[in-house]
Amino acid sequence: MQIYLDYSATTPTCAEAIAAMQGVLTESWGNPSSLHEWGQRSATVVEMARTQVAHLINAPPDGIVFTSGGTEADNLAIFGVVGKYDQPQHLIISSVEHSAIAETVGILEKRGWSVTRLPVDRQGSIHPLDLKTALQPNTVLVSVIYGQSEVGTLQPIETLGEIARYHGVLFHTDAVQVAGRLPIDVEKLPVDMLSLSSHKIYGPQGVGALYVRPGVDLMPLMGGGGQEFKLRSGTQAVPAIAGFGVAAELAAQELLWETPRLIKLRDRLFDLLADIPYLVPTGDRTRRLPHHVSFCVVPPAGVTGITGKTLVRHLNLAGIGISAGSACHSGKLSPSPVLLAMGYSDREGLGGIRLTLGRQTTEADIEWTAIALKQILDRLISKPLAIAF
């Protein structure tokens, strides 16, 4: 049995998106910047996809800028704002951002920019009062992740965005994990920029988008032919963009029934694993991504060598795909920065695991995964030195 439970990492490309991409490769392969018929066929594909992606978040089509993915969208939001200033100013992010934001802001910090990282509680949530306190006269941008990819917590984006707007500060959110899983309406949501990624919603890898509210002025990351409203030069990846558009349209259509189904499966998996004393749930159980289950494995005292990576490897041998929050740098395992920011110890920070559900996940998958995980943990804890690796 093969059970894939890593949908937050990537989703399988849906058949409809693949068909759209094949159609472009065989019939609409022109350069969309060309004025002749071949180019205009390709340009029509791009604009259709722009409309489809815009519809997913209720945005005007001209507010969608196609990028190579969520990481570039995040970078365009950050560098696009700071590039308008001759002197370093002040930025605010959360302490649980995706590395596409955290690492980017770290680069700016080395260049003299002042950065405030908002603290989170044990559930990974930001308190809006902390944002009010952190704002300074020279704050030019607030960027807070919408749905945390590692622990599943949903931030109070509506409240945080209203605070930023009241003080005249631009607000960006990375909504890569939320789009296609929860409704997003940028006409009501107080955000100026919002990042999306195709391969998180059953579209192809290598394409994403940044929503930019009309009137927000950004500096492009690179010079060139001025494609994508002069914000993202370079010939567009038309096949991937077409697949993204179809995937976005399907995601919008299925929200009504797929989101409740995922929530039911998510809660069932939490319940099935609730009686394991050395599995501690992480993140907010109520304000949470609908497809997201996460734990921190905390072995009994005296038992060592069992980490989140250990469970990933053993579940993989059982035909089950999950992910871990810790990372390996230069041969040494490092605890998850997200769990550390939430108040977990270094030992606990090595034990984070994430199981994320999707279209192909069934109740039988959930039941079998719970059985397999319990059996693996029992073996590892009874014979840690012989089995853990």
Side-chain angles (χ1 to χ4, degrees), residues 39-359:
Q40 291 310 292
R41 282 203 300 264
S42 186
T44 299
V45 170
V46 171
E47 295 314 309
M48 172 62 74
R50 198 184 310 279
T51 299
Q52 291 168 315
V53 173
H55 177 70
L56 179 62
I57 60 172
N58 194 32
D62 59 2
I64 299 298
V65 178
F66 286 119
T67 66
S68 64
T71 292
E72 187 187 341
D74 285 345
N75 273 255
L76 178 56
I78 300 294
F79 283 121
V81 171
V82 305
K84 307 295 292 186
Y85 293 88
D86 294 330
Q87 298 297 323
Q89 305 294 321
H90 178 238
L91 303 171
I92 299 175
I93 64 172
S94 81
S95 57
V96 291
E97 290 300 310
H98 187 277
S99 57
I101 293 292
E103 295 293 328
T104 301
V105 168
I107 293 172
L108 291 169
E109 203 167 22
K110 293 177 181 177
R111 297 177 184 175
W113 281 73
S114 175
V115 178
T116 297
R117 294 170 177 82
L118 300 175
V120 295
D121 60 21
R122 187 75 171 183
Q123 284 69 50
S125 297
I126 293 170
H127 196 292
L129 183 60
D130 288 329
L131 175 57
K132 287 184 180 180
T133 305
L135 288 165
Q136 300 176 14
N138 66 336
T139 305
V140 299
L141 177 66
V142 176
S143 181
V144 175
I145 193 167
Y146 199 157
Q148 216 293 317
S149 59
E150 189 176 328
V151 299
T153 298
L154 294 168
Q155 299 296 347
I157 294 299
E158 300 90 345
T159 304
L160 298 173
E162 289 289 359
I163 292 170
R165 179 166 293 179
Y166 178 80
H167 288 86
V169 177
L170 292 175
F171 188 86
H172 165 258
T173 187
D174 180 332
V176 163
Q177 295 293 336
V178 177
R181 297 184 174 108
L182 290 170
I184 296 176
D185 185 347
V186 296
E187 290 299 315
K188 298 178 180 177
L189 198 66
V191 299
D192 298 294
M193 294 169 287
L194 182 145
S195 298
L196 303 167
S197 178
S198 165
H199 75 103
K200 308 297 188 181
I201 58 169
Y202 306 92
Q205 297 173 355
V207 61
L210 179 68
Y211 160 71
V212 182
R213 186 176 296 282
V216 174
D217 189 22
L218 300 179
M219 183 74 73
L221 292 180
M222 52 192 178
Q227 292 88 344
E228 293 303 301
F229 312 108
K230 299 184 179 180
L231 286 176
R232 209 281 182 175
S233 290
T235 301
Q236 293 96 327
V238 183
I241 287 172
F244 186 13
V246 170
E249 183 174 37
L250 292 174
Q253 292 172 357
E254 72 174 16
L255 271 172
L256 187 62
W257 64 84
E258 180 65 359
T259 296
R261 188 186 77 87
L262 290 174
I263 290 173
K264 183 178 178 181
L265 290 174
R266 177 199 71 186
D267 292 346
R268 175 63 175 156
L269 184 52
F270 268 122
D271 291 343
L272 287 170
L273 298 173
D275 61 346
I276 302 180
Y278 26 81
L279 269 187
V280 179
T282 56
D284 193 311
R285 278 295 305 270
T286 54
R287 279 191 59 87
R288 187 178 193 89
L289 289 164
H291 70 301
H292 195 291
V293 176
S294 60
F295 292 92
C296 180
V297 57
V298 184
V303 175
T304 60
I306 302 175
T307 67
K309 295 284 187 184
T310 307
L311 294 184
V312 170
R313 295 187 184 104
H314 282 271
L315 281 167
N316 182 60
L317 293 175
I320 301 170
I322 71 166
S323 66
S326 54
C328 189
H329 301 288
S330 302
K332 183 179 180 181
L333 198 61
S334 301
S336 158
V338 171
L339 291 178
L340 293 181
M342 292 165 61
Y344 289 84
S345 67
D346 283 359
R347 181 172 184 254
E348 292 168 332
L350 294 172
I353 59 170
R354 178 186 73 184
L355 304 89
T356 45
L357 323 176
R359 286 177 183 164

Side-chain angles (χ1 to χ4, degrees), residues 272-273 275-276 369-379:
L272 287 170
L273 298 173
D275 61 346
I276 302 180
T369 297
I371 292 171
L373 184 52
K374 288 179 181 179
Q375 291 177 346
I376 289 169
L377 280 168
D378 285 342
R379 291 201 309 269

Side-chain angles (χ1 to χ4, degrees), residues 24-42:
V24 171
L25 289 167
T26 56
E27 300 171 9
S28 303
W29 40 262
N31 187 321
S33 296
S34 298
L35 296 178
H36 49 59
E37 179 181 347
W38 293 266
Q40 291 310 292
R41 282 203 300 264
S42 186

